[in-house]
Structure formats: C-alpha cells, structure tokens
Amino acid sequence: MSAVIPIKDVEYEHPLPGNTCDTKHAWARIPAEPSPSERVALKEKIKRLLKERNAVMVSHYYVHPDLQDLAEETGGIVSDSLEMARFGRDHPATTLVVSGVKFMGETSKILSPEKRVLMPDLDATCSLDLGCPIDEFSAFCDQHPDRTVVVYANTSAAVKARSDWLVTSSCALDIARALKEAGHKLLWAPDKHLGGYIQRETGADMVFWNGSCIVHDEFKAFELEALKKQYPKAKVLVHPESPADVVALADAVGSTSGILKAARDMHAKEFIVATDNGMMHKLRTLNPDKVFIEAPTAGNSATCKSCAHCPWMAMNGLAGLAHVLETGANEVHVDPALGLRARVPIDRMLAFTAALKAGQPAGSLVPNIGAA
C-alpha cells in the first residue's frame, strides 16, 4: 500500500473590486523524502532517461537541492525564471523537464512550441498566478486603456497574452525605467510589493494589481530588526517581492540571481536572507566560507502560511521527475494561438535584456508599443 501524500491548505490573496483583497484557499501536496538508497537509484534512473529521451533539466533555485544538483550534473541549468526561459529556448534538447511551478513550464512551451515540456507535478502553481485570473485582470486592463500593461513572469499564459511587456525581478527595474523615459504610464501586475519597489526606484506613473507572494509577504520588519541585533555584522539581502518596510532594511535588494551576486561580491561573512529558503542551498554551495541566516517570517504567535518556502515548489521531487521521464506524463500544453500572443511580451523582454547584456541601447526597443 502506497504512503498517503499529505495535502497542505494554502491561503492566498484574491483581489476584489475597489482594490482590496479577500482570502482564497488552494492546496499543495508534499512528496515523501526518498531513503538514501532510493535517492541514489532515482538519480541514476533519471540520468539514464535524460539521455534516452534527449531531454534536459531546467530547475529553479527554489526547488529541492536534489533537483538543483541533478540539473547541473546532467548539463542542465539552475537559475531564475529569466535564465530558465533563455536556456530552454536555446538548448538543442527536444524535451525540457522544468522543475518549478506551472507558469515556468508554460513559458518554456511558449518559447519552444516544437519541444515537449514536462513537469514533475502539473499542479505546482503560484499564489501570484492564482490571484490574477484572466477575466478579472482583463477587466482591470480595460479600465485603464491608456496604460502600457507590464506583467511579472509569475502569471498564466493568458495573462501574458493580455500584456505588452513581461518582466522578471532581475530586469523589471531596467524595463520600467526605459518605459517611463519613453513617456509610458504603466499598469503593473500582479505583485504589489515588487510594483511598489519599482515605482519608488523609478518614479514611474503606475497603477497596481493587488497581489502578493505568500512566501515573501510573510517577512516582518520588526522581527528582522531583532535578528539584525543578534548578528550586527550581517548584511541583509532582500528579494523585492517583500514588503516595503523589509526592503528598507536591506543592504542589497535583488532577484534570486541578484542575491547570489551580492553574496559573492560583498565582503561580509554573515548574511541574513529574505527570500524563499530554497535559495540557501545554492548560496551555501557557492560561498562555503560564509554564513547564511534565514530572515524571520510571521511574528511571535503568528501563523506561518509557507514558513519561507513555497509549498508548490516543494511539490517537485525525484520520484515525480523519474515518472514523467519514463511515461511522458505531465506534459505542458498551451493553445498555439494563445502562445503566439503570449510570446510577444516575452520576446520583447528577452530582446531588451540581451541588448543590455551586450551593452547596446536597449531603450530603442521601447517606443511605439501601446496598451494591449
């Protein structure tokens, strides 16, 4: 008899008319940890199947360390969502195995419609995606027809198709700044904290969808201040999806890749990190001589929704990965017509960031792109 997989109830914000939120519920299932011998056997099986299926692993920094290590050991990648999108598009493999959440698999399929895209668990989702349904978001856009629609990567294919620009946390500031300089007023969705950070940094004229990440929304400034007193020499690294009072305490604010760079480049030996604790594996692997401390979530006597780890990222496991490679189950499908429309803002983002990386004038890519 197989073990019962525990189901976790997860609360997330759902915007209401008038820009307020109520609470809705979703669920996540947490796979059992394999035994040491099972882990070895699963890894060997996955390595064999990757070769047989002409497949490559694309893993996010927030998934289980086993899936991060295995991706790198087999010629895949561990990265943020922007690099995941680039890598999957450009890699010659005919099958992409995306360890992350649903929107990441959809983005891979949109960029590589000719490839098979598999995920360990198709039910792994995101509170930002859940809290931004296409019908309600489209109505919100219709209320602001004069604004350029900029959406975060953590959204469905349908929401991307309704947008003008896609951004990730690593390129959002640069794109928003370029749009502002070109005279655009922005409609931003779905993360209100990241949107607020961008507005404070750029001064852009923005209206916001009222959503948040269940992980980053839990970091609390008063608890962080107390922890800073315990570790007075520690530098604070914060993801911009965190509340503004937490961001204000940071020594460096950045995406997952930005946090990795700050940890590498800063001279401190101790760091307090306010992002999903899945990042700790890569931070500690790349910086074995430094100490990384998890920033506190919730508060005294408060109930933690995610305890600094996305419950849907936790749904990715070795057994699920082996199963989809063996059977072809959990294939990601995106309607081809929707995918073509959703690819437009994604390609704009990739062209913009490629130009920036090459030292070219990316701002020239911005003018004359109006509202969707």
Side-chain angles (χ1 to χ4, degrees), residues 339-359:
L340 284 173
R341 180 64 190 89
R343 182 162 183 161
V344 173
I346 300 173
D347 280 342
R348 285 174 181 157
M349 172 187 71
L350 293 174
F352 185 97
T353 54
L356 273 185
K357 193 173 182 179

Side-chain angles (χ1 to χ4, degrees), residues 201-259:
E201 291 293 312
T202 66
D205 183 336
M206 300 172 68
V207 295
F208 303 100
W209 185 259
N210 197 9
S212 66
C213 166
I214 62 168
V215 176
H216 295 95
D217 193 48
E218 290 171 8
F219 292 117
K220 305 299 178 186
F222 74 97
E223 290 281 6
L224 181 53
E225 287 176 326
L227 190 61
K228 280 167 59 75
K229 290 177 182 176
Q230 286 183 247
Y231 298 93
K233 295 182 179 179
K235 298 296 184 182
V236 178
L237 309 179
V238 175
H239 194 285
E241 288 178 28
S242 306
D245 56 355
V246 173
V247 171
L249 295 172
D251 295 291
V253 181
S255 64
T256 49
S257 56
I259 286 173

Side-chain angles (χ1 to χ4, degrees), residues 24 31 83 94 98 150 161 233 359:
K24 286 201 171 184
E83 289 304 319
T94 56
V98 178
V150 182
K233 295 182 179 179

Side-chain angles (χ1 to χ4, degrees), residues 295-344:
T297 59
N300 295 327
S301 303
T303 300
C304 174
K305 295 193 197 90
S306 70
C307 297
H309 186 48
C310 174
W312 297 293
M313 288 287 188
M315 291 170 69
N316 293 268
L318 288 173
L321 179 57
H323 175 70
V324 300
L325 276 168
E326 189 167 43
T327 65
N330 292 355
E331 183 172 355
V332 177
H333 296 283
V334 175
D335 176 81
L338 182 69
L340 284 173
R341 180 64 190 89
R343 182 162 183 161
V344 173

